[in-house]
Structure formats: structure tokens, C-alpha cells
Amino acid sequence: MSSKTHNANSILLARRTVLQLRTEASRERMKVSKASADLMNYCTEHAMADPLLVGFPTSDNPFKDKKPCTIL
Amino acid sequence: MYWICSKSMATQELQINESLAHLKTESESLKTKLEEERAKLHDVELHQVAEKVEGLGQFVMKTRRTLKGHGNKVLCMDWCKDKRRIVSSSQDGKVIVWDAFTTNKEHAVTMPCTWVMACAYAPSGCAVACGGLDNKCSVYPLSLDKNENLAAKKKSVAMHTNYLSACSFTNSDMQILTSSGDGTCALWDVESGQLLQSFHGHAADVLCLDLAPSETGNTFVSGGCDKKANVWDMRSGQCIQSFETHESDINSVRYYPSGDAFASGSDDATCRLYDLRADREVAIYSKESIIFGVSSVDFSLSGRLLFGGYNDYTINVWDVLKGTRVSILFGHENRVSTLRVSPDGTAFCTGSWDHTLRVSSSFSFSLFSVISLSPEVLLTHCVFFFFFFLQIWA
């Protein structure tokens, strides 16, 4: 009896794997060159707006260290 | 009679074995076909395409704030959408909400269990979710009244059969996505605690998850101890894509800002970038000198920088396109367990087993950034310095 359920489970699992692989194999894929170009374009388009990349004026930095200011 | 029964059972068993073998052969041939399809489109490497992009030069990162208060290892942290509040959870069972600008503690909750491995801030900023060894994910509404006991309003939302490894609110305060050591991920309704969808497919503990940026639809990626990173459809519960190139547990996954790719960090000491449309790994971020596992990864706002927190107490910053390391940050006195970039991209926060959290940001401008300053800003700087020096000479 237990071997029957074990067999049924193995079949179910195998069937599920095959269905999963079938869907994955039939997917539309893009060439790496095109996908990489898109990633690159995204980076360059948004580079200016990236504070960790280009930095920003210390006055706008909410985490700046508080320094005492001297008046000349 | 008995002979007939046993004969039918034997034929049944034979049929079952045949169909099992048949299914196994089909799955093997499908796997080979999948590999062939993926390899066909592998015409170039990402760093080759990125040769035309300007290099970044070396960055210096500086720690701006150190948040002290946890009594034991910090395991997880998350930023609030207001870009200044942080929630962190620790092995000592405490969950603390900090104001990162002032380093003040705003709220503290003691969980009934130790090892609170997951915590998340609600999009509204009005609640936090956390969980760990209690196998549950609980939501605590944050009240403005400091004296109110937060634990009294606690709402138990998720129930797993093993530890909670990660949790995240979806676009609203109403739904939570969780991943667990029981090998599954699940989507829950916060108000009723009802299970909305469960995600089965990992063969071992699921350690991390990340939701796709809202523009790209209802998917999320999860990483686990089975070395696989799976992309799921939240509505159907189906696994859409699966990637298995890491050589050890995947501790952290994070979507690229455009949603077309995701990065992963693993115990095999590498970070990898997987492109969803090319359906393959497109970059590996590693060095021979780096032998300790990566505990957490996150991208900067533009996706050009990848931050990785490592078990050798350091944070390595990688140029995503070129695959080179542009910065290394020291400071923690034990392994870095969690890392997140702030919502506006101005800083990143790291939590460590040394009981502290550190908020850091870029310190110096690289050549790239000086050139990128707008002409008006450059002109004003020149004029200022001109008059400044004029005054000295006069």
C-alpha cells in the first residue's frame, strides 16, 4: 500500500517537473547582447540621478557631519 | 483469484515504472534542450558590451552614522519609505525602529522568540513586520504614543512549519510575502491572516526573497539552500523561471531597478547577475582573494553599483556593467548580515553580528562625477574661487 502511494507521489513529482520544464523550454528568450545593451542604457540614463554614484552637494546630504562654521 | 490479483498488480507496477522512466527521460531531454536554447543566445558577455561605458575610478565610502543599542547580532534591517527611519531585528529578540538622521531609537519591541531573522517596514510607515524562530510573521502597528505597549496590538499573520527567513510587504500594508525554512514562500492577507497563495518548488530552505519593482508586474524572486533562484508569478503561484549556477546557498536576492534582472549573493563568495529576458546568468562578481560568503546584496539607484555585505566583515562595491570592484568598506567588527540602500539612494545601511548598524555614503567624487557636474554649478564654483583668491592677493 505504501509503495503504491510512493509510486503515485514519484509520478506526480516527475509529471510536475516535466510540465515545468516544458513551459520553461517554450519561453521566448532574448539575445544576451540585446539584454546587456538594455541594462547598460538603463544605467547611463539614470546615472545622474544616483547619489551614491555621482555624489551631491554637501548641503543636501542629510547624513553630513555637523562641522562648526567659522566666520572670517 | 489471488493469481489474477497479483498479476494485475504486477502489470500495474510495470506500467507505473515504465511511465516513471518515460517521464524521467523526457525531463532529461527537456533539460538538455533548455541548456541548448539558452546557450544559443549567449553571443557576448555583459562586460564586453560594457567596454564602451566610461570606467568609474575608485570610490571612497564613509560611515556617517553608527546605530548602537542591540544586545546581540543584528540579523535584518529595512528602510522606511520616508528615507530616514530604519527597522532592525536581532538575535536577542528585539526589534528597534531608529531615526537614522539623529540615531535616536523611536520604538522597541521584544519578541517572544530569539533570532528574529526577518523584519520589514510597511509602505505607509505605520507598521513593521517581523519573525524568525517562532515560525510566524507578526505585524506591529507603530503608534505615535511612546508609552503605548506595541506588543499589545500585535497581529499574527503568517504561519510556517519552520523558521521565517524573510518577509516583505507588497505594494500596500494589506499583504505580506514570506519565505521560510520549510522550503516554501507564501502570500498572506494581513487583516485576516489568511493564506492567499503558496509557492512550492524549492527543494530546501528558502533564505531570501525580493519583490519586482511595481512597474514590472506581479512577480518576485526567491533564493534558497538548494542553490536555486526562482522567479514566481504571485497570482498563479507558478514558478516562471529557475536559475541554478551558484555553488552554495543563496543568501540574498535583489531585483535590478528596471526589473529586467536580479542579483544574488551566496555562500560560494560570489555575487551573480541574472537577466530575466535572456534567461541566464550574465555576470559573476568575484575575486580570488574573496573567500567568505556574501550575506546580502543591493543595487544603487541607477543599478550601476552593486553593494555586497560579506562574512569577512567587509562591504565590497562592484561595477555591475564591467564586473570590477570599485570600493571596499571596512568598519564592522563581525560579519555583515544585512545591507539595504535607502529609498532615495543617498546612503546604504548595514547590520552586523557586531551588534551595530552603520549608515554609509559616498565620500569623494570620482573623475566621472566631476565631469558630470552641470555647467552652471562648475561656473559658480570657478567664479567663487576666483573672487576668493582675489581677496587673498589684495
Side-chain angles (χ1 to χ4, degrees):
Chain A
M1 195 65 167
S2 60
S3 70
K4 243 190 179 173
T5 33
H6 172 76
N7 283 334
N9 281 340
S10 326
I11 290 218
L12 204 64
L13 203 64
R15 215 173 265 157
R16 212 183 278 164
T17 324
V18 168
L19 281 167
Q20 177 68 28
L21 287 167
R22 273 196 201 144
T23 26
E24 282 190 30
S26 59
R27 282 197 77 242
E28 283 291 311
R29 270 175 211 88
M30 191 187 274
K31 280 206 167 152
V32 175
S33 48
K34 169 90 177 37
S36 309
D38 286 347
L39 289 176
M40 224 171 69
N41 287 337
Y42 188 89
C43 277
T44 33
E45 271 170 38
H46 293 85
M48 290 308 127
D50 188 346
L52 284 167
L53 193 65
V54 300
F56 50 94
T58 323
S59 51
D60 289 348
N61 184 357
F63 292 107
K64 70 172 187 276
D65 306 315
K66 296 178 187 64
K67 289 195 184 84
C69 45
T70 46
I71 301 169
L72 298 159
Chain B
M1 185 70 165
Y2 175 74
W3 178 80
I4 294 168
C5 281
S6 69
K7 189 175 180 212
S8 66
M9 268 178 69
T11 26
Q12 244 186 5
E13 185 123 3
L14 201 65
Q15 281 175 334
I16 287 172
N17 284 338
E18 273 176 353
S19 63
L20 198 64
H22 175 76
L23 284 168
K24 279 217 163 81
T25 0
E26 193 179 350
S27 90
E28 286 308 311
S29 74
L30 279 169
K31 274 191 192 151
T32 336
K33 183 180 175 208
L34 208 62
E35 278 315 302
E36 280 170 10
E37 290 294 314
R38 280 177 172 170
K40 263 188 223 169
L41 298 161
H42 189 199
D43 50 350
V44 78
E45 298 286 340
L46 173 62
H47 62 85
Q48 288 170 309
V49 175
E51 262 160 31
K52 27 187 156 144
V53 179
E54 230 177 275
L56 288 178
Q58 285 296 304
F59 276 75
V60 176
M61 299 285 174
K62 192 181 176 204
T63 299
R64 304 281 179 188
R65 298 284 188 278
T66 305
L67 306 177
K68 293 189 186 162
H70 275 295
N72 213 322
K73 309 179 171 71
V74 177
L75 302 173
C76 186
M77 58 84 35
D78 191 17
W79 287 89
C80 177
K81 285 213 157 70
D82 70 359
K83 311 154 211 168
R84 71 183 280 172
R85 280 178 185 77
I86 287 175
V87 63
S88 62
S89 65
S90 158
Q91 186 195 338
D92 64 359
K94 288 229 172 31
V95 174
I96 301 179
V97 176
W98 314 78
D99 177 337
F101 292 179
T102 61
T103 74
N104 288 338
K105 297 181 210 21
E106 296 201 340
H107 300 94
V109 179
T110 307
M111 293 278 285
C113 67
T114 57
W115 286 90
V116 188
M117 295 175 235
C119 64
Y121 228 118
S124 66
C126 298
V128 292
C130 49
L133 281 187
D134 56 350
N135 300 358
K136 291 193 261 188
C137 184
S138 313
V139 176
Y140 291 85
L142 297 173
S143 105
L144 292 165
D145 180 3
K146 298 277 159 112
N147 294 325
E148 193 171 352
N149 182 14
L150 289 180
K153 292 241 175 96
K154 161 178 155 175
K155 207 182 290 175
S156 262
V157 176
M159 267 302 264
H160 278 279
T161 53
N162 209 329
Y163 66 88
L164 189 85
S165 53
C167 63
S168 172
F169 283 88
T170 58
N171 293 332
S172 73
D173 284 17
M174 295 292 99
Q175 292 180 353
I176 275 196
L177 194 57
T178 58
S179 67
S180 165
D182 65 13
T184 68
C185 298
L187 182 66
W188 310 82
D189 176 86
V190 173
E191 199 56 51
S192 60
Q194 200 193 357
L195 173 67
L196 298 171
Q197 185 64 261
S198 70
F199 306 89
H200 297 260
H202 278 286
D205 304 18
V206 186
L207 297 178
C208 50
L209 59 84
D210 189 36
L211 277 147
S214 37
E215 309 84 54
T216 47
N218 288 332
T219 58
F220 74 95
V221 60
S222 66
C225 289
D226 56 357
K227 311 177 203 166
K228 282 207 222 151
N230 291 341
V231 181
W232 308 86
D233 179 323
M234 265 165 55
R235 275 173 290 212
S236 65
Q238 276 275 81
C239 173
I240 314 173
Q241 283 168 286
S242 186
F243 303 89
E244 194 174 351
T245 60
H246 270 294
E247 292 159 21
S248 188
D249 303 358
I250 297 179
N251 296 317
S252 171
V253 285
R254 193 71 66 209
Y255 266 95
Y256 189 77
S258 69
D260 291 331
F262 70 90
S264 59
S266 161
D267 275 347
D268 66 7
T270 66
C271 300
R272 291 170 202 243
L273 185 70
Y274 297 91
D275 189 291
L276 294 171
R277 292 171 310 162
D279 192 33
R280 62 173 297 121
E281 172 195 294
V282 292
I284 306 183
Y285 308 99
S286 67
K287 263 177 129 68
E288 264 185 47
S289 51
I290 301 176
I291 53 171
F292 283 83
V294 188
S295 62
S296 53
V297 294
D298 202 357
F299 285 101
S300 68
L301 222 56
S302 66
R304 183 70 192 267
L305 299 175
L306 179 68
F307 295 86
Y310 288 70
N311 292 343
D312 62 1
Y313 316 174
T314 64
I315 295 141
N316 289 304
V317 188
W318 303 88
D319 178 335
V320 170
L321 300 178
K322 294 196 183 274
T324 53
R325 179 174 64 182
V326 295
S327 187
I328 179 167
L329 185 62
F330 302 96
H332 276 297
E333 291 159 21
N334 206 324
R335 60 164 79 173
V336 179
S337 53
T338 176
L339 185 156
R340 292 298 289 262
V341 171
S342 72
D344 60 354
T346 52
F348 63 94
C349 179
T350 49
S352 162
W353 280 15
D354 67 5
H355 310 189
T356 67
L357 292 118
R358 282 164 181 256
V359 181
S360 315
S361 65
S362 298
F363 180 59
S364 62
F365 293 149
S366 65
L367 187 66
F368 176 70
S369 58
V370 169
I371 290 168
S372 65
L373 282 171
S374 67
E376 305 91 74
V377 179
L378 268 172
L379 192 65
T380 8
H381 275 82
C382 292
V383 170
F384 172 75
F385 281 119
F386 176 71
F387 282 110
F388 180 69
F389 285 117
L390 207 64
Q391 277 196 311
I392 294 177
W393 289 328

